[in-house]
Amino acid sequence: MSQPINLAIVGTGIFATDNHLPTIQKIPGLKPYAAYNRTKSKAETFAEKANIASDKVYDSLEEIFEDKDVEFVDALLPVQFNVDAVKLAVKNNKPICFEKPIAANLDQAKEIVKLSESTDLPILVLENWAYLKAIDILKNEILPKIGDVVAFTYNATGPFNDANKYLATGWRLKPEHIGGFLSDGGVHQLALLTEVLGDVESVSGLTQQLKEQSGTDDVLFSTLKTAKGAIGTFTYGSAFGATDKSTFFKIFGTNGSATYDWSPSLPKPQITYATGATSGQASSKTTIEIDEVNTIEEEFKNFKDAVANKDKKLVKVPPRKAFHHLAIVAAALESSKNNGSNVKVETP
Amino acid sequence: MSQPINLAIVGTGIFATDNHLPTIQKIPGLKPYAAYNRTKSKAETFAEKANIASDKVYDSLEEIFEDKDVEFVDALLPVQFNVDAVKLAVKNNKPICFEKPIAANLDQAKEIVKLSESTDLPILVLENWAYLKAIDILKNEILPKIGDVVAFTYNATGPFNDANKYLATGWRLKPEHIGGFLSDGGVHQLALLTEVLGDVESVSGLTQQLKEQSGTDDVLFSTLKTAKGAIGTFTYGSAFGATDKSTFFKIFGTNGSATYDWSPSLPKPQITYATGATSGQASSKTTIEIDEVNTIEEEFKNFKDAVANKDKKLVKVPPRKAFHHLAIVAAALESSKNNGSNVKVETP
């Protein structure tokens, strides 16, 4: 049996503790080895839970990247620090995965893309939605049946959740990242959308700030045009008043349509589709219930493979891809400033 | 008992025969008195069904407007002729109601608004959706409960219906009116939307032509900003491949949200709402089933009242209002030509 891979966790907050750690512990061959947090006591608490030796709780980001025995770094930093972490990774030739959004703004994101493409190191943005099993089913099983995709409606709307544990995190309350929750959560939605439909070419967006606690605009209504020529709407926001959480992605093709619905009111996420070019030629509807995978587990397995094989091509969400998700949000925000003008999505 | 009001029907096609005539016959005090159609035999067939004397089947539009005993004209012409009919109405001092969309383009529509505002004659655009009972319930019962309206999603999508009897009408197959089905059907949707939310200030729209038979672009995905500052999406098209006909209007307020759903799969149209500013403060959901009125009957009753009372202020959909519906479509079409740019909605 091969040696486990030593990994260092930096930014040992809620998400590291509640999600990354149990996931990492579940994956054979991954070993939490070192930890760092700006508030050292939090790293120590985390280290105890993770069975990390106390002398592997470091006082600075630099030290952890310089540790020869750390084989990759898992970073969960306020996003404005992602670029610094990637710089240290490249400098120390250490593979790194880090949480989305890729960066606080497109300038930083461009720098990360540039850095990542200057090296053979595996560098992964932890955009777990890209690993959704629903994406594979839509792309490989369903879309081939409904003809060419011509249009779509993407809707992810929900009520403002007073009890949201992530709402109180300082970097979210006073966001340095563009769009606050619109980029923080929006990139997940756009990862799903673009994995299925391909790149987005341009955006016309309108935003509003509904809740003071959001720190900045928190709902987005927009139209998108994809590079392949499909048109549609993209609606995102979890800052509304009382409303059902409604999450669905409807795709219209020349020979039918499909709806992926992952609203929490459903027992399981589901895809419903019908084929035929007109109502007269319509098939009956088929519904597929999805046994979804643990997407966080999938992204760590993916990164582990890339690190073990020293092969950056195995990385499913390289910075260039995550750049695109953030660039769509940036285009929507710029558009909204101009009352809903059309804005081309930037490339790195 | 007072004398019945004599009305003349011009444009005696499918809709006049199947809808206007039985509705008019149901309303006490209205009497079909004269008829005109470009193909005279069709007017004669209609006159027989309507018990109109054969000498009251006219050879020209002019003659029918000149008949002293005709008390108002009900016009169902290819929309590009609406402006001519209104000119004759004003010239002959004869009240007129005519089918939507108001005109084939904004120039004609402006002329109609100008003509209608130069006279005290009752002039009504037969936009029957403005009479939906759902509008009153939303505006007067529900919206006051959900706070200030901040956002909305308006969706009316359906499959291309091969058996649509209106598809084969010549003026629709080779549309002279802007946007073809997008204005023809779109103005209904926009009448509903604006009766509830007020005027639309600007639009960013993307359109496509999915079916050759539509004659021009037939699906629209857009964002709207209302004069009162709400933002949202407006999606309209009945040219898709196999898909459920899905018609819903979701309204987000500062203190809750409401969804009006009139999808034909429902036993009755319904409004569902919940109140509260956040998920933690959410009330349980309330659903109201709507016993909808016959909107065509309502519009004729409305016009009869306006004619009987010689009071144009009683008219529920004067040309200025119907102009706005068409102007929103025009803005969306102009926007789409520019890739989804933001376009201000024109005023007459």
Side-chain angles (χ1 to χ4, degrees):
Chain A
M1 205 180 122
S2 59
Q3 286 289 316
I5 296 175
N6 290 332
L7 67 93
I9 295 102
V10 304
T12 58
I14 313 169
F15 199 62
T17 307
D18 292 359
N19 295 71
H20 279 214
L21 181 57
T23 306
I24 291 162
Q25 288 173 327
K26 218 161 44 177
I27 299 174
L30 281 186
K31 188 185 169 192
Y33 180 79
Y36 163 76
N37 201 73
R38 200 165 39 169
T39 308
K40 196 176 180 183
S41 61
K42 286 191 187 173
E44 287 166 341
T45 307
F46 181 88
E48 241 171 84
K49 286 187 187 160
N51 280 320
I52 292 171
S54 59
D55 64 337
K56 292 294 170 187
V57 177
Y58 284 104
D59 291 312
S60 73
L61 260 186
E62 285 75 8
E63 289 171 86
I64 220 162
F65 277 97
E66 287 162 5
D67 185 324
K68 299 289 179 223
D69 294 326
V70 166
E71 290 169 275
F72 77 78
V73 173
D74 168 28
L76 306 95
L77 303 166
V79 288
Q80 61 269 28
F81 299 121
N82 282 347
V83 63
D84 298 331
V86 174
K87 276 183 203 164
L88 283 170
V90 173
K91 184 180 165 196
N92 294 285
N93 204 36
K94 191 87 72 191
I96 182 172
C97 59
F98 57 97
E99 275 294 337
K100 42 54 56 182
I102 179 173
N105 55 54
L106 288 195
D107 283 343
Q108 289 181 0
K110 275 181 198 171
E111 200 174 345
I112 290 174
V113 174
K114 211 171 174 181
L115 283 163
S116 76
E117 295 183 355
S118 72
T119 168
D120 283 332
L121 281 176
I123 298 182
L124 170 74
V125 182
L126 292 163
E127 175 45 75
N128 62 308
W129 283 38
Y131 298 84
L132 284 166
K133 193 175 166 188
I135 291 169
D136 276 339
I137 299 175
L138 278 168
K139 274 183 77 169
N140 301 322
E141 285 182 43
I142 313 298
L143 292 195
K145 295 179 182 165
I146 64 163
D148 296 327
V149 172
V150 288
F152 60 91
T153 298
Y154 191 108
N155 180 89
T157 51
F160 185 76
N161 178 1
D162 325 65
N164 179 354
K165 63 185 173 184
Y166 298 112
L167 194 62
T169 52
W171 67 278
R172 288 190 167 97
L173 272 175
K174 290 192 192 301
E176 287 189 29
H177 50 297
I178 55 168
F181 280 94
L182 291 186
S183 60
D184 190 1
V187 293
H188 282 317
Q189 315 289 342
L190 291 162
L192 166 54
L193 187 145
T194 55
E195 287 291 323
V196 176
L197 300 185
D199 282 357
V200 172
E201 196 173 85
S202 66
V203 183
S204 304
L206 295 172
T207 62
Q208 288 219 41
Q209 180 169 0
L210 299 186
K211 297 291 189 223
E212 201 192 331
Q213 300 95 313
S214 303
T216 182
D217 282 5
D218 47 19
V219 300
L220 165 64
F221 292 75
S222 63
T223 59
L224 308 182
K225 187 180 258 187
T226 71
K228 290 178 188 160
I231 60 174
T233 57
F234 176 78
T235 304
Y236 175 65
S238 292
F240 296 104
T243 187
D244 283 337
K245 188 169 160 78
S246 166
T247 47
F248 68 88
F249 182 14
K250 189 163 186 174
I251 302 169
F252 298 101
T254 48
N255 192 48
S257 65
T259 302
Y260 167 45
D261 192 333
W262 67 106
S263 298
S265 58
L266 295 170
K268 284 182 187 180
Q270 64 181 37
I271 297 170
T272 304
Y273 69 96
T275 59
T278 67
S279 62
Q281 295 161 34
S283 73
S284 58
K285 279 194 286 183
T286 303
T287 296
I288 300 174
E289 288 205 319
I290 303 167
D291 290 304
E292 197 43 85
V293 296
N294 179 331
T295 53
I296 296 176
E297 197 174 326
E298 294 303 312
E299 63 187 356
F300 275 104
K301 283 183 187 163
N302 176 219
F303 198 56
K304 183 193 143 190
D305 283 350
V307 170
N309 292 291
K310 298 186 196 303
D311 187 355
K312 67 184 277 189
K313 289 194 300 295
L314 296 176
V315 163
K316 182 156 178 97
V317 188
R320 181 171 282 270
K321 204 183 252 193
F323 177 94
H324 185 58
H325 309 153
L326 187 65
I328 301 170
V329 176
L333 292 168
E334 191 191 327
S335 170
S336 186
K337 266 190 211 152
N338 295 300
N339 218 27
S341 65
N342 181 256
V343 175
K344 215 166 152 16
V345 176
E346 277 194 54
T347 48
Chain B
M1 205 183 123
S2 58
Q3 287 289 317
I5 297 175
N6 290 332
L7 67 94
I9 295 100
V10 303
T12 58
I14 315 170
F15 199 63
T17 307
D18 292 359
N19 296 71
H20 279 214
L21 181 57
T23 306
I24 290 162
Q25 288 173 327
K26 220 164 43 180
I27 300 173
L30 281 187
K31 188 186 168 190
Y33 180 79
Y36 163 76
N37 200 73
R38 200 166 38 168
T39 308
K40 196 175 180 184
S41 62
K42 286 191 186 172
E44 286 165 342
T45 307
F46 181 87
E48 242 172 80
K49 285 187 187 159
N51 279 321
I52 292 172
S54 59
D55 65 336
K56 292 295 169 187
V57 177
Y58 284 104
D59 292 311
S60 74
L61 259 187
E62 285 75 9
E63 288 171 87
I64 220 161
F65 277 97
E66 287 162 6
D67 184 323
K68 299 289 178 223
D69 294 326
V70 167
E71 289 169 276
F72 77 78
V73 172
D74 168 27
L76 305 95
L77 303 166
V79 289
Q80 61 267 28
F81 299 120
N82 281 347
V83 63
D84 298 331
V86 174
K87 277 183 201 162
L88 285 169
V90 173
K91 182 178 164 196
N92 293 284
N93 203 37
K94 191 87 72 192
I96 182 171
C97 59
F98 58 97
E99 274 294 338
K100 42 55 56 184
I102 179 173
N105 55 53
L106 288 194
D107 283 343
Q108 290 181 0
K110 275 179 196 170
E111 199 174 347
I112 290 174
V113 174
K114 211 171 176 181
L115 282 163
S116 76
E117 295 183 354
S118 71
T119 168
D120 282 332
L121 282 176
I123 297 182
L124 169 74
V125 182
L126 292 163
E127 175 43 76
N128 63 308
W129 283 37
Y131 298 84
L132 284 166
K133 193 175 165 189
I135 291 169
D136 276 339
I137 299 175
L138 279 167
K139 274 183 77 169
N140 301 322
E141 284 183 44
I142 312 298
L143 292 195
K145 294 180 182 165
I146 64 164
D148 296 327
V149 172
V150 289
F152 60 91
T153 297
Y154 191 108
N155 179 89
T157 52
F160 186 76
N161 177 2
D162 325 66
N164 179 356
K165 63 185 174 183
Y166 298 112
L167 194 62
T169 53
W171 68 279
R172 286 189 167 97
L173 272 174
K174 291 191 191 301
E176 286 189 28
H177 51 296
I178 56 169
F181 280 94
L182 291 185
S183 60
D184 190 2
V187 293
H188 281 318
Q189 314 289 341
L190 291 161
L192 166 54
L193 187 145
T194 56
E195 287 291 322
V196 176
L197 299 185
D199 282 359
V200 172
E201 197 174 84
S202 67
V203 183
S204 304
L206 296 171
T207 63
Q208 288 220 40
Q209 179 169 359
L210 299 186
K211 297 290 187 221
E212 201 192 329
Q213 298 97 313
S214 303
T216 182
D217 282 5
D218 47 19
V219 300
L220 166 64
F221 292 74
S222 64
T223 58
L224 308 181
K225 188 181 258 188
T226 72
K228 290 177 188 160
I231 60 174
T233 58
F234 175 77
T235 304
Y236 175 64
S238 291
F240 296 104
T243 186
D244 284 337
K245 189 170 161 75
S246 166
T247 47
F248 68 88
F249 183 13
K250 189 161 184 175
I251 303 168
F252 298 100
T254 48
N255 192 47
S257 65
T259 301
Y260 167 45
D261 192 332
W262 68 105
S263 298
S265 59
L266 295 170
K268 283 182 189 182
Q270 64 181 37
I271 298 170
T272 304
Y273 68 95
T275 59
T278 67
S279 63
Q281 294 161 36
S283 73
S284 58
K285 278 195 286 181
T286 303
T287 296
I288 300 174
E289 288 205 319
I290 303 167
D291 291 304
E292 197 44 84
V293 295
N294 178 331
T295 53
I296 297 176
E297 196 174 328
E298 294 303 312
E299 64 187 355
F300 276 104
K301 283 183 188 163
N302 177 219
F303 198 56
K304 183 193 145 190
D305 282 350
V307 171
N309 292 291
K310 297 185 194 305
D311 187 354
K312 69 184 276 189
K313 290 195 300 296
L314 295 177
V315 163
K316 183 156 177 97
V317 187
R320 180 171 284 270
K321 204 183 251 192
F323 177 95
H324 185 59
H325 309 153
L326 186 65
I328 299 169
V329 176
L333 292 168
E334 190 191 326
S335 170
S336 186
K337 268 190 210 152
N338 296 299
N339 220 24
S341 65
N342 182 256
V343 175
K344 218 167 150 16
V345 176
E346 277 194 54
T347 48

